[in-house]
Each structure stands twice: as C-alpha cells, then as structure tokens.
C-alpha cells in the first residue's frame, strides 16, 4: 500500500523553489507540511527577467497585490517581444500578447486581412493590434473593458532574484518552513528506490514523502540520485552558452523586450525600473566566448553595473520529470533558451499540473505517466516555436543562419509551416502555451506568406470588406488616447522608485 503524502520537501530555493512553496501552501494549506531546503552559499542563475501573461493568474491566486509586487521586484510592463534582424538584417517585427483585429464570422482575422490586401488595403497586420500600437508609441494603461477588441494582454519584466525573495516572504508567512543547509547525502528506500531523507552538511536530516527537485541544472535528486536521463536537443537548438550583464537603467522604459539577432547569436534587452537586463545567447560551435562578449559589450544602451556572467547550458528536457517520489521543477526539469520568455512559465505550469494531480493517498505510476506526457508535449511545442524563429530565416551573413535554415525540423512544426503557407491555417496542439495569434505573428514576421485564405473571406465584396476593415482599425486606435507613456504609468501606479 502506498504511503499517503503528508510532507513535501522542496530541495532548492530561487524562483522555482519559492514559486512551488508559495502555491503548494496556498492550495494545500495545513493538509500537507511543506519544508524548503536551501543554502545562502549556493547562488542562483537568476537572469530570467521576462514573463508571459499567465504570471498574472499565478500572482492573483496567491493574493499578491500587483502594485506591491511591481515595487518589490523593480518590475515594468511587458506587452510584446520585438524581434530585430531575425529574418534579414535591418528588419523587425513584434510578437505581441494581443491578437490582431477581431474574428469575423467563422474564421480568423488573418483570412480577411489577406483578402483585403488583394482588394487594395495597405495596412500591415500589426496595425490592427492594440499591443503593437502601444509598443510603437511607448504607451500603457489599465483598460477596464469586457469588449475583446480593446483587450490588451500584458506580462512583466522583473528582477527574478527579488521575485524569489518576495515569494519567500509570502510563503514563510503562510507557514512554509525554511531550512538552511547544503545537501550532502540522499537516502533512498532499499525496495522502492523512493527518496526518504536528505542529509545536510550541517548535520541536519530532512525527511518527507514527496520531494520537489528545484536544484537547477545540478539535478541533484532527479538526475544524480534517481538517474533519470536527459534528452539533448542540441541538434535542433545548438545554442549552449549565454553571457549576461546588468546595465544602468536606460532613460526611457520600453514596454517590451528586445530580441536582437546578430551574425551568430541573439541579444536580449529587458527594462526594469532600477536597471536593464542584457545578455547574449550563442552556440560555441559558431562563436567564441570572446567574440560573444565583444558583441554584447559593443551593443549595450547603458553602462555595465558588473562583470558579465557566463552561463553554460544544455538545451533539452529531463525524460521523466516525475519519477518515483521526485518531481523536477525549474531548470532541473529541462532548459529552453529564453527567446520567448518561457522559463518562469514552465515553473508555473509544472506546479499547477502537480496541483491537479497531487498524490494525496499515495504516488501512482499512472498519475506520474500522465504528468510526464503533458509536460513532454508542453516542452516540445515551446521547443518547436523557438525553432521556427531560427529555421525560417533569409540571412546569408554566416554559416550559423544558413545551417539553421537547412536543418531538419520536427514533423509537427513542418506541418504547421506548410498549413500556414498554403492556406493561412493555424492548428493548435493541446498543451501548447502559444495560441493562434502568436504563431501567426512569428510566421508572418519571419517571412512566410500564405498562398490562399479561407473561402469565408470571399463572401464580402471589395468595398464592403474594406469598410469593415477600416472600422476594425478605427476601433483598435480608440483606446490610445487614454494610454500613458510607460514611465508615467509606472510613476502613477506604483510611485517613484
């Protein structure tokens, strides 16, 4: 008979550990004891500073006050990612959190936009997107409306180290026990192989029924102890190194992340209220550390605040993220480069998945199998979305971009590209966090031009369709008059920092 889960041990702190602790305590309250083991002597990577909109739901469920959260984490608003030089040098496009236009009848807006272009319309798809219009003007404000045409989805930029501290304070106040110490030895049951106890260097022993591995890329429990294999995706995403450096706050706080492609790498710029986050991601097969360092340093908007930090990584996923009585959350579960700001969301979705499948009366292999199947598909769909940016390019300035264009890609991604190219159709996978509007913007932005569109779009005459499109355009522009410059919004909403 399986042992009921009455105590959860979280190994490791940081963003992953404290997000897990905070949500578990909020959901389970006093039904399960929660203890987190971490050491101040072990640093965290802590460069993940950009998020996607579901982080709002996570914070809201925890009862977090948004103003306090933004103040404590030095946060700003994020409406989109601007991709610069990805298709060809000198060209850019946005992947926004909004959706262009509005669905008309039975089919998606892009079909009517394509039909309108044939009828003489000149507007880009993005001009029908409120998030894009706001980004281009550097504006933001809260829009209280039930009308989806005015909906402006947003996420945050924040200091992930400060976010971890913020959640720690929240979790400890709710009753999570924190134990200081470095794990020296891990005890397993002789028969089941389940982990039963963590022995710390300071002599303390921590026992539990369910263990959460938040030890980052060390994978101390799931990998080193249980021996779960790691599936390497280097053949699909060859980047294996990042260099990160904080810089002084830029004078104007943009409401979006910048992703800037270079000859053999890409660079991020993330605006916070007290500094900017910067970094470069590259493959050591195509670019040396010195070349990457120089590319980053020579393309900063403001003065560095510390020495650059080099981070080695292996793109891929832990094959069984739930094995025996251990669940890997955060970097111990896998790594995908931060091109689409998915790292923190993968933490969030893993915790939510665990809550839906929490093993109250004992751990079952069937429950673990379902958890692993969902997680696998989620990782793979994000992976494919990232590959899309690299694979569909027209750059000729380096072997890196040529090789990415010529490489074999997963069949599922190729099918998506083919469907969109032939008829502007977009098909969703279950557990894909990116919906139609995201795939639409990146495929168009990377230069995939549909050859046809849905027949429903043909039911309008030219004049009638152009009139409808003009009305949609006008509606999308209406809220702009009520928006504020991003810095002015932050000053009014959370006060000067």
């Amino acid at each position: 008979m399986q042992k009921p889960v009455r105590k959860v041990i979280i190994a490791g702190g940081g963003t992953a550990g404290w997000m897990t602790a905070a949500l578990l305590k909020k959901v389970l309250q006093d039904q399960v004891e929660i203890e987190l083991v971490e050491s101040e002597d072990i640093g965290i990577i802590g460069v993940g500073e950009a998020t996607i909109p579901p982080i709002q739901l996570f914070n809201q469920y925890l009862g977090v006050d948004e103003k306090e959260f933004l103040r404590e984490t030095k946060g700003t608003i994020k409406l989109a990612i601007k991709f610069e030089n990805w298709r060809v040098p000198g060209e850019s496009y946005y992947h926004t959190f909004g959706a262009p236009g509005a669905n008309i009848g039975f089919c998606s807006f892009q079909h009517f936009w394509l039909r309108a272009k044939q009828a003489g319309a000149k507007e880009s798809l993005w001009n029908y997107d409120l998030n894009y219009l706001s980004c281009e003007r550097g504006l933001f404000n809260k829009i209280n409306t039930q009308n989806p045409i005015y909906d402006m989805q947003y996420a945050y930029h924040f200091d992930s180290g400060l976010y971890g501290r913020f959640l720690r304070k929240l979790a400890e106040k709710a009753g999570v026990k924190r134990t200081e110490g470095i794990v020296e030895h891990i005890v397993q049951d002789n028969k089941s192989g389940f982990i039963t106890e963590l022995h710390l260097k300071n002599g303390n022993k921590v026992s539990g029924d369910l263990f959460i591995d938040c030890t980052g890329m060390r994978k101390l429990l799931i990998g080193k102890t249980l021996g779960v294999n790691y599936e390497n995706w280097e053949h699909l995403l060859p980047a294996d190194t990042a260099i990160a450096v904080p810089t002084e706050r830029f004078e104007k706080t943009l409401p979006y992340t910048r992703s800037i492609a270079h000859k053999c790498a890409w660079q991020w710029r993330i605006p916070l209220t007290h500094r900017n986050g910067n970094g470069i991601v590259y493959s050591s097969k195509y670019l040396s550390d010195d070349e990457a360092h120089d590319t980053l340093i020579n393309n900063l908007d403001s003065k560095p605040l510390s020495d650059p930090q080099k981070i080695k990584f292996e793109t891929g996923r832990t094959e069984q993220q739930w094995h025996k009585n251990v669940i890997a959350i955060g970097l111990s579960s896998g790594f995908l480069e931060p091109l689409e700001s998915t790292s923190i969301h993968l933490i969030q979705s893993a915790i939510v998945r665990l809550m839906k499948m929490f093993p109250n009366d004992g751990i079952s292999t069937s429950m673990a199998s379902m958890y692993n199947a969902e997680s696998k598909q989620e990782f793979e769909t994000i992976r494919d979305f990232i590959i899309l940016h690299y694979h569909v390019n027209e750059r000729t300035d380096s072997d890196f971009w040529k090789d990415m264009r010529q490489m074999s890609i997963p069949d599922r991604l190729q099918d998506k590209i083919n469907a969109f190219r032939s008829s502007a159709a977009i098909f969703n996978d279950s557990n894909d966090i990116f919906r139609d509007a995201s795939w639409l913007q990146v495929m168009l932005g990377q230069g995939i031009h549909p050859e046809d569109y849905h027949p429903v779009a043909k039911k309008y005459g030219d004049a009638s369709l152009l009139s409808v499109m003009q009305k949609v355009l006008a509606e999308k522009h209406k809220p702009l008059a009520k928006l504020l410059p991003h810095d002015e919004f932050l000053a009014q909403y959370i006060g000067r920092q």
Side-chain angles (χ1 to χ4, degrees), residues 8-125:
V8 176
I9 303 299
I10 301 168
T15 306
W18 287 110
M19 283 181 74
T20 303
L23 190 64
L24 260 62
K25 192 62 182 177
K26 180 70 175 182
V27 175
L28 300 173
Q29 299 184 6
D30 295 332
Q31 297 179 65
V32 175
E33 186 181 351
I34 299 166
E35 183 172 354
L36 184 145
V37 179
E38 67 172 346
S39 172
E40 298 288 359
D41 295 334
I42 298 177
I44 59 172
I45 290 181
V47 297
E49 297 167 328
T51 57
I52 59 178
I55 189 70
Q56 289 187 60
L57 297 175
F58 184 86
N59 283 353
Q60 288 167 11
Y61 187 80
L62 291 179
V64 169
D65 176 81
E66 186 179 51
K67 294 179 183 180
E68 180 187 7
F69 155 74
L70 287 169
R71 280 193 294 267
E72 292 281 330
T73 63
K74 309 298 183 185
T76 63
I77 300 300
K78 176 184 174 183
L79 298 174
I81 303 173
K82 185 179 183 181
F83 288 96
E84 304 172 37
N85 307 326
W86 278 83
R87 189 182 75 85
V88 292
E91 186 178 278
S92 65
Y93 68 91
Y94 286 87
H95 169 203
T96 78
F97 296 138
N103 286 348
I104 306 170
F106 189 69
C107 69
S108 301
F109 182 75
Q110 71 264 21
H111 300 280
F112 296 96
W113 173 73
L114 289 165
R115 167 79 178 84
K117 280 185 68 178
Q118 285 189 347
K122 304 297 183 184
E123 300 286 349
S124 79
L125 182 87

Side-chain angles (χ1 to χ4, degrees), residues 239-255:
D240 57 13
T241 316
I243 299 174
V245 63
T247 61
E248 292 178 350
R249 180 187 172 275
F250 194 54
E251 60 184 19
K252 184 177 182 181
T253 311
L254 300 173

Side-chain angles (χ1 to χ4, degrees), residues 125-420:
L125 182 87
W126 284 270
N127 281 336
Y128 299 90
D129 185 332
L130 182 55
N131 280 54
Y132 164 80
L133 298 171
S134 301
C135 285
E136 284 288 273
R137 293 161 176 78
L139 303 175
F140 180 75
N141 207 349
K142 297 275 192 172
I143 300 177
N144 295 317
T145 177
Q146 298 298 316
N147 189 337
I149 202 167
Y150 301 136
D151 185 36
M152 188 157 60
Q153 292 285 316
Y154 67 93
Y156 309 107
H157 305 113
F158 55 69
D159 184 316
S160 62
L162 294 178
Y163 186 50
R165 288 183 218 167
F166 178 77
L167 292 176
R168 172 183 169 180
K169 185 167 57 176
L170 197 73
E172 287 189 298
K173 184 178 179 181
V176 172
K177 179 183 177 182
R178 179 191 178 275
T179 296
E180 171 70 25
I182 295 175
V183 177
E184 185 174 50
H185 178 64
I186 297 172
V187 180
Q188 292 175 266
D189 180 83
N190 290 331
K191 291 184 178 180
S192 67
F194 280 27
I195 290 176
T196 58
E197 204 167 49
L198 306 181
H199 291 185
L200 311 183
K201 283 187 176 181
N202 57 20
N204 288 337
K205 297 179 181 180
V206 179
S207 61
D209 306 312
L210 180 69
F211 289 78
I212 312 296
D213 188 341
C214 295
T215 62
M217 293 181 181
R218 293 178 297 148
K219 306 178 190 68
L220 193 57
L221 277 62
I222 199 77
K224 290 186 178 178
T225 301
L226 297 188
V228 176
N229 291 329
Y230 191 81
E231 183 180 356
N232 186 300
W233 288 339
E234 183 183 4
H235 61 295
L236 295 170
L237 292 167
D240 57 13
T241 316
I243 299 174
V245 63
T247 61
E248 292 178 350
R249 180 187 172 275
F250 194 54
E251 60 184 19
K252 184 177 182 181
T253 311
L254 300 173
Y256 55 86
T257 302
R258 293 180 67 191
S259 173
I260 307 159
H262 294 293
K263 189 175 180 181
C264 295
W266 69 270
Q267 175 187 352
W268 75 77
R269 290 182 184 167
I270 296 173
L272 308 179
T273 58
H274 66 315
R275 63 171 172 81
N276 273 13
N278 308 268
I280 190 166
V281 175
Y282 59 100
S283 168
S284 57
K285 292 181 179 179
Y286 294 89
L287 197 66
S288 72
D289 293 343
D290 288 342
E291 289 172 315
H293 173 276
D294 292 345
T295 300
L296 175 61
I297 296 301
N298 293 332
N299 287 279
L300 297 175
D301 283 334
S302 50
K303 182 180 176 182
L305 294 172
S306 67
D307 292 331
Q309 175 190 9
K310 179 182 167 183
I311 304 161
K312 293 292 291 183
F313 57 83
E314 183 181 354
T315 299
R317 58 177 292 275
T318 300
E319 289 183 356
Q320 293 170 284
Q321 291 162 350
W322 182 344
H323 184 55
K324 297 187 183 296
N325 67 331
V326 173
I327 299 168
I329 292 180
L331 295 178
S332 61
S333 71
F335 181 86
L336 291 167
E337 61 186 80
L339 184 62
E340 282 286 353
S341 310
T342 52
S343 295
I344 289 175
H345 179 77
L346 282 168
I347 296 170
Q348 176 181 338
S349 63
I351 306 166
V352 171
R353 186 176 298 117
L354 171 58
M355 288 298 88
K356 291 178 179 177
M357 303 181 181
F358 193 81
N360 182 46
D361 291 326
I363 296 167
S364 70
T365 54
S366 59
M367 193 71 78
S369 294
M370 287 189 288
Y371 181 99
N372 288 330
E374 282 195 11
S375 180
K376 179 178 186 289
Q377 188 179 57
E378 183 175 55
F379 262 81
E380 288 178 348
T381 53
I382 295 173
R383 175 202 66 191
D384 292 355
F385 191 57
I386 294 173
I387 293 171
L388 174 66
H389 300 65
Y390 283 109
H391 180 63
V392 186
N393 80 83
E394 298 172 33
R395 295 185 63 134
T396 58
D397 53 332
S398 72
D399 288 340
F400 171 74
W401 292 105
K402 294 176 186 176
D403 289 348
M404 293 304 287
R405 185 165 58 247
Q406 294 167 5
M407 73 173 185
S408 298
I409 61 174
D411 290 342
R412 178 167 49 193
L413 175 57
Q414 190 63 64
D415 289 343
K416 278 181 174 286
I417 292 172
N418 292 344
F420 185 74

Side-chain angles (χ1 to χ4, degrees), residues 455-467:
V456 169
K458 299 176 183 179
K459 71 178 182 179
Y460 291 95
D462 287 0
S464 177
L465 178 60
L466 292 174
S467 175

